[in-house]
Amino acid sequence: MRVRAAVIGLALFCSACAGPFLRYKKDINRLVAAQNFTPAVSQLEENKNKLYKEKDAALYFLDKAALLHDAQQPAKSDEALSTAQNIIEQLYAKSVTGALGTLLINDLTTPYYAAPYEKALTFFYRGMNFLQQNDLQGALVEARKAVFYLAQLRGTKTNGYNDDAFVQYFSSLVFESGAQRDDARISRQNALNAYQKNGWPVPDFPVPANADQMGEILIFHYNGLLPLLKNQTMQVGWDKLLLWASSPVEGERVSPQVQNAVMAGLTGRSVTLAFPVFEEQPYQTKSSFVTADGVFAQATQKVQDTSVLAKNYLQERTPAMLFRLATRAVIKQTAVVQARHAAAQAAQDDTVGELAGMFVNLLGALTETADTRQWFTLPAEVRLSRIFVAPGTHEIKLWFQDGYGNIIGEHNFGPVRVRAGERVFLHHRTAK
């Protein structure tokens, strides 16, 4: 009875560590695809205590903020983003490595540390929220915070994600709107460098010679669904497991238990490990274009590929994850061997030893699950159109196309008023 209670208790503990699961993410995505943003926020709030634990607070507010932004509720979205940013800053002021729980239980025992690209996007979303409320000064603050954060990232990382082309490009637009030309020039150059580094097309929007006498309307089209992280198991041989566990990456150290296992020549069979992998989420819309007063104005251009950033970040983290996975597996296997020997000696019965080993092995299996947490309410990509129109009121529409160029939907922004030399920032979300 005690054994059964322990197993059940541990299973409940592990489920409590899991964070938002795949089915829940897909349910939210279906609401987003149907443009039901407010019900999506309500469902997220209803599941806050069930799926988002205290250590996942930053993730909860990030997921909520994007949905509120899509629902055209900039003030509430900004409130959630401000809270998320504060939590992220507090977490990153502490060490993000070497947590004991990650070596003994799983990676889910630690708080959710936002990916660098996710942190950069908080500045974009807050900037757009301020612009939607006609608060250029607030947007300028976020742009300055963004370029400062990205400058720090470039200074500390030479490989992988160390700048964000889109966030730099957006910041340059905000600086231009605030007549801060030097800052705009620097951000635009950083954006160009980052686009070229990633091998992405550089945004190219024609600016008329008399642009100062015209109004500019910028349409941000948030499109598609991010691939979702899910739990997948893989079989690894004991020799490879010991190699991984004995080869630390930056910020990690080899556990004493691993060193003892190597010295003792501990052997074992293949081990099943849990690892996060992406599952693609299909969506129809592949491109879009804008009309002004019923006349074609401009096709949108892809300025951000969040899906690629998410996949690259997982790949960048893989060596450290494999090190921790292997270390946990070696520690757990060591515990199985020790339990088996101790029980067999105490009872003077090898059968009792085998049962004890099986029990410890079961506990180890129950605690092993992949960390599939992510800011999943982000779009797969961001597309942009910058059109110049005569001062006045215009009917602006965004049209959606499938992969064959067929029109599959539209969004009417309604009458949009713009003055000479003014910029208006608009956004719309599609997910189907």
Side-chain angles (χ1 to χ4, degrees):
M1 182 63 74
R2 288 181 180 178
V3 170
R4 181 182 178 188
V7 171
I8 293 174
L10 190 57
L12 291 173
F13 169 78
C14 294
S15 65
C17 292
F21 50 82
L22 190 63
R23 188 179 64 188
Y24 163 79
K25 295 176 186 177
K26 290 183 176 181
D27 287 344
I28 295 292
N29 279 346
R30 277 190 282 270
L31 292 172
V32 172
Q35 304 283 297
N36 292 327
F37 303 117
T38 301
V41 173
S42 298
Q43 183 165 329
L44 185 141
E45 290 173 338
E46 290 171 5
N47 286 279
K48 178 182 179 181
N49 295 327
K50 179 180 178 182
L51 299 179
Y52 296 89
K53 303 307 175 184
E54 185 177 354
K55 59 186 172 53
D56 302 322
L59 183 59
Y60 168 76
F61 287 107
L62 290 174
D63 283 339
K64 182 177 181 179
L67 294 175
L68 287 168
H69 181 82
D70 296 337
Q72 305 292 333
Q73 298 184 46
K76 291 184 178 180
S77 174
D78 186 68
E79 182 180 350
L81 282 167
S82 176
T83 303
Q85 284 184 343
N86 288 336
I87 295 171
I88 291 169
E89 289 302 320
Q90 291 170 10
L91 289 175
Y92 275 88
K94 305 174 184 178
S95 173
V96 300
T97 59
L100 181 62
T102 62
L103 293 181
L104 298 183
I105 303 174
N106 56 54
D107 286 355
L108 289 164
T109 58
T110 64
Y112 181 75
Y113 292 97
Y117 75 89
E118 294 176 340
K119 185 175 179 180
L121 283 171
T122 65
F123 304 119
F124 163 72
Y125 272 96
R126 291 200 72 184
M128 283 293 289
N129 283 335
F130 283 123
L131 291 169
Q132 195 173 350
Q133 299 174 88
N134 298 314
D135 184 355
L136 178 58
Q137 291 306 310
L140 283 167
V141 170
E142 292 305 310
R144 283 191 286 270
K145 287 162 59 178
V147 297
F148 177 74
Y149 167 68
L150 293 172
Q152 285 185 313
L153 207 58
R154 290 194 305 276
T156 56
K157 288 186 65 179
T158 56
N159 298 316
Y161 177 92
N162 64 356
D163 206 346
D164 195 294
F166 169 61
V167 174
Q168 290 279 13
Y169 185 81
F170 172 73
S171 297
S172 73
L173 294 171
V174 175
F175 288 138
E176 284 179 353
S177 299
Q180 299 181 9
R181 301 191 183 282
D182 286 341
D183 291 331
R185 175 181 53 80
I186 294 170
S187 289
R188 192 66 61 87
Q189 185 59 53
N190 286 333
L192 174 63
N193 295 341
Y195 277 120
Q196 291 176 339
K197 173 191 171 186
N198 290 324
W200 296 348
V202 178
D204 182 18
F205 298 100
V207 178
N210 63 337
D212 60 331
Q213 302 170 30
M214 305 181 74
E216 183 180 2
I217 302 175
L218 297 92
I219 298 95
F220 290 83
H221 175 198
Y222 312 149
N223 183 46
L225 298 166
L226 273 185
L228 298 178
L229 284 171
K230 66 177 184 178
N231 193 75
Q232 180 167 297
T233 58
M234 59 180 180
Q235 290 288 120
V236 178
W238 186 255
D239 55 341
K240 183 175 290 187
L241 203 67
L242 283 177
L243 175 63
W244 287 348
S246 304
S247 305
V249 294
E250 184 179 355
E252 305 283 359
R253 59 186 178 83
V254 177
S255 166
Q257 293 97 321
V258 172
Q259 294 175 338
N260 292 339
V262 173
M263 294 296 294
L266 182 66
T267 60
R269 292 170 291 182
S270 62
V271 176
T272 301
L273 302 179
F275 193 79
V277 295
F278 277 114
E279 179 181 295
E280 296 291 339
Q281 304 302 301
Y283 53 92
Q284 267 190 293
T285 303
K286 302 301 180 184
S287 60
S288 53
F289 65 90
V290 177
T291 59
D293 303 320
V295 178
F296 175 85
Q298 191 179 83
T300 61
Q301 299 177 34
K302 185 190 292 188
V303 290
Q304 172 78 313
D305 197 326
T306 322
S307 289
V308 168
L309 293 180
K311 293 173 184 176
N312 288 348
Y313 181 62
L314 177 61
Q315 186 175 7
E316 190 177 328
R317 289 188 300 146
T318 294
M321 282 194 293
L322 289 177
F323 171 76
R324 292 193 297 272
L325 278 170
T327 298
R328 284 197 299 270
V330 172
I331 291 174
K332 290 173 182 179
Q333 180 65 14
T334 302
V336 169
V337 173
Q338 291 174 342
R340 184 187 300 127
H341 290 167
Q345 289 179 357
Q348 295 186 340
D349 188 335
D350 288 342
T351 302
V352 173
E354 288 299 322
L355 289 173
M358 289 173 59
F359 174 68
V360 174
N361 191 47
L362 174 60
L363 295 184
L366 284 172
T367 59
E368 191 57 57
T369 184
D371 186 352
T372 58
R373 294 173 295 179
Q374 63 181 132
W375 186 0
F376 80 96
T377 54
L378 289 172
E381 64 178 15
V382 179
R383 308 185 67 85
L384 174 64
S385 180
R386 297 176 56 185
I387 62 173
F388 291 85
V389 294
T393 302
H394 302 273
E395 184 182 77
I396 305 299
K397 285 187 177 181
L398 180 63
W399 300 80
F400 316 122
Q401 297 171 292
D402 63 16
Y404 300 100
N406 301 312
I407 295 175
I408 57 176
E410 66 179 88
H411 175 72
N412 190 347
F413 289 100
V416 178
R417 181 175 176 79
V418 61
R419 294 186 291 269
E422 180 188 26
R423 272 183 173 150
V424 174
F425 291 76
L426 306 174
H427 65 88
H428 183 69
R429 176 80 162 97
T430 57
K432 67 177 182 179

